[in-house]
Structures are given as structure tokens and as C-alpha cells.
Amino acid sequence: MKFSVISTVASLAIVGPAVAQTPPGFSPATTKTFTVKFGSTAVTGGNAVKLEDTAVAPTIDFGDVSDNSAHVVTMLDLDAPMGDADRSYSPLLHWLASIPAGGKSSATAKDVAPYAGPQPPVGYGPHRYVLLLLTDPSADFHLPPGFENQTYSDVTSRLAFPLDKFLAAGNFQVTAANWFTTENTTATSTNSTGPTNSSTTSTSAPVTAGASSLQASVIGALFALMSLPIFLL
Ligand SMILES: *[C@@H]1O[C@H](CO)[C@@H](O)[C@H](O)[C@H]1NC(C)=O
Ligand SMILES: *[C@@H]1O[C@H](CO)[C@@H](O)[C@H](O)[C@H]1NC(C)=O
Ligand SMILES: *[C@@H]1O[C@H](CO)[C@@H](O)[C@H](O)[C@H]1NC(C)=O
Ligand SMILES: *[C@@H]1O[C@H](CO)[C@@H](O)[C@H](O)[C@H]1NC(C)=O
């Protein structure tokens, strides 16, 4: 027992600790990462990215992290709709694209679920967004059994995305990952020139009573926007 601990530590010292490239607690985890950039802003292991930088799909590049197989890239919100207050929509599918065999970047990506930028609601903290690079065993991407009729044009079809089922149905292997956080830090306008008081809105400490009304408005907005490629999440 003691010996195996020592030898594990020794081997870590040689190769370096394998750091998960997925958020803590996320499964499936991987220690491999790939390049994800919003414009010139790189995503690196949970860094905070400005919300305005995330409006357009990131570019990705996986070089020799993987082989010349076909791939799938996806981006999921793990904190939809309201982080610790409510994760019932998580993971929320923000992007799903296929990359044909031989492609190593988003240059040849084809959207399956077109990219929709993050829209975390004000006051519930940063959301975590994970990007997964999946190896696709088939030569020509097709949605796997059970998903074949999905167009992902409707917001509700993107809520609580059944990732494990999707991976199993398509035999997709998680090959690399990256993740970031972003937050809407827009102060809720009080339009007051005087000192603020307790009835002015706080952006950092939502009260529980506010949560249910925000949830209702988020749900209402989701249904209202069902056919539009935008989110409140
Ligand atoms: C941030 O929140 C404000 C207030 O709800 C909203 O008007 C604005 O559109 C949000 N910004 C983004 C980029 O979603
Ligand atoms: C997809 O659509 C076809 C034709 O309408 C239908 O037969 C099939 O059951 C559907 N599959 C799923 C998973 O809903
Ligand atoms: C407050 O509201 C008034 C009236 O709508 C507007 O003219 C003014 O520009 C607002 N001030 C701020 C700081 O938003
Ligand atoms: C706090 O703000 C509310 C809304 O603007 C106002 O009705 C109330 O009188 C204010 N209270 C104090 C103590 O300033």
C-alpha cells in the first residue's frame, strides 16, 4: 500500500500530474485539451471570458491532439438557467458541429445545432461552459439513433441535453476538452442619483423570492423565442 503510493508519486514527478481539462466533477473527464478562441481571446481551463467576446462561435483547432478521424465539437452550459439556484436546464446545448475526416479545425466545421452565444442571467454568478472534442467513428456525420430527427432549431430541444446517451448512441469518444466561464455583469439599472437602499436590485445576492419570478420569466422568454437562434441562458 505504502509502496504503491510512493511509486504513484514518483511517476507523477516524472510525467507531471495529469490535469483534467473538463470542469471539476464533470464526466466524462479528459486530460487532453484543444485550442478554442473567441477572436483573439483564448479559452484555457476555466478562465473568465468577457460575455461580449462570446457572441460569435469560437474557432477551434486540435492539431495532433487527435487523428484524422471525423470529429464532433459541442459546447454546453453546465449552469442553466440559474447556477446554484437552479440547474434544471443543464447541460444546455449551445453548439454542435461536425468536422469531416482530415479536418483539424473549425475551418471545415458544419453546424448541426448552430452556435448560440451564452446569455447567463444577471445576478446568478458566472456559468461554466464546456467544449468537448469528440471522435466520430463514422465517415459521414449523422445524428445517432434516437436523435436523428433533431434540428435543434427550437430552444426546448436544447435543454437538459442527454450527453451520455448521445455519446453512447453515436459511439463518440471524448478526445479533448476545454472550458471557460462567463457572466453578465451588467448592473441592473436603478436609475437613481441618490444613495442606493435595500430595495434597489443587487446583482450579486439574489433573494429566493426573486429566483422563482426570474425562472418564470426565463421560461416565458424561452417559449417566446423558440424559433429564434438566441437564448436567455
Ligand atoms: C446582460 O443583461 C442585461 C440586463 O438583463 C441585458 O439587457 C443584456 O442584453 C445582457 N447582455 C448580454 C450580452 O446578454
Ligand atoms: C423520426 O422520424 C421518423 C419519421 O417521421 C419516425 O418514424 C421516427 O420514429 C422518428 N424517430 C425518433 C427518434 O423520433
Ligand atoms: C434615468 O431615467 C431618465 C428618464 O427615463 C433618463 O432621462 C435618464 O437618462 C436616466 N438616467 C440613467 C443614469 O440611466
Ligand atoms: C428605497 O427605494 C425605494 C424605491 O426607489 C423607495 O420607494 C424607498 O422610499 C427608498 N427607501 C429609502 C429608505 O430611501
Side-chain angles (χ1 to χ4, degrees):
M1 203 60 178
K2 201 170 196 176
F3 178 77
S4 76
V5 169
I6 290 167
S7 70
T8 301
V9 170
S11 64
L12 288 180
I14 294 163
V15 299
V19 176
Q21 300 299 326
T22 36
F26 181 83
S27 174
T30 173
T31 57
K32 289 189 184 173
T33 192
F34 65 115
T35 302
V36 177
K37 284 184 175 177
F38 287 103
S40 59
T41 303
V43 167
T44 54
N47 64 326
V49 175
K50 283 187 190 141
L51 183 58
E52 55 265 39
D53 291 345
T54 65
V56 174
T59 55
I60 67 152
D61 199 311
F62 51 92
D64 48 15
V65 172
S66 192
D67 57 18
N68 281 325
S69 305
H71 289 81
V72 172
V73 63
T74 187
M75 181 172 124
L76 302 166
D77 179 355
L78 306 183
D79 296 301
M82 296 183 296
D84 288 340
D86 181 358
R87 289 197 173 81
S88 58
Y89 298 166
S90 300
L92 189 144
L93 180 66
H94 277 263
W95 191 32
L96 185 67
S98 65
I99 299 170
K104 292 280 193 172
S105 74
S106 43
T108 56
K110 294 176 193 161
D111 279 344
V112 178
Y115 180 81
Q119 291 204 2
V122 174
Y124 291 89
H127 282 202
R128 297 162 300 155
Y129 297 83
V130 65
L131 288 114
L132 301 175
L133 178 70
L134 312 177
T135 300
D136 179 357
S138 63
D140 260 325
F141 176 82
H142 53 273
L143 282 165
F147 294 82
E148 63 268 43
N149 296 339
Q150 290 286 3
T151 59
Y152 296 111
S153 57
D154 147 336
V155 173
T156 55
S157 68
R158 296 184 178 215
L159 306 180
F161 182 71
L163 178 64
D164 291 338
K165 193 177 158 196
F166 182 79
L167 296 176
N171 274 314
F172 301 121
Q173 299 298 320
V174 175
T175 299
N178 207 334
W179 66 288
F180 67 97
T181 67
T182 194
E183 179 173 16
N184 187 334
T185 53
T186 308
T188 306
S189 175
T190 58
N191 195 6
S192 167
T193 52
T196 57
N197 69 24
S198 61
S199 73
T200 58
T201 307
S202 162
T203 60
S204 58
V207 292
T208 310
S212 60
S213 67
L214 176 58
Q215 184 180 32
S217 74
V218 167
I219 292 167
L222 280 170
F223 282 93
L225 295 171
M226 262 173 50
S227 61
L228 299 175
I230 56 172
F231 290 87
L232 285 180
L233 304 162

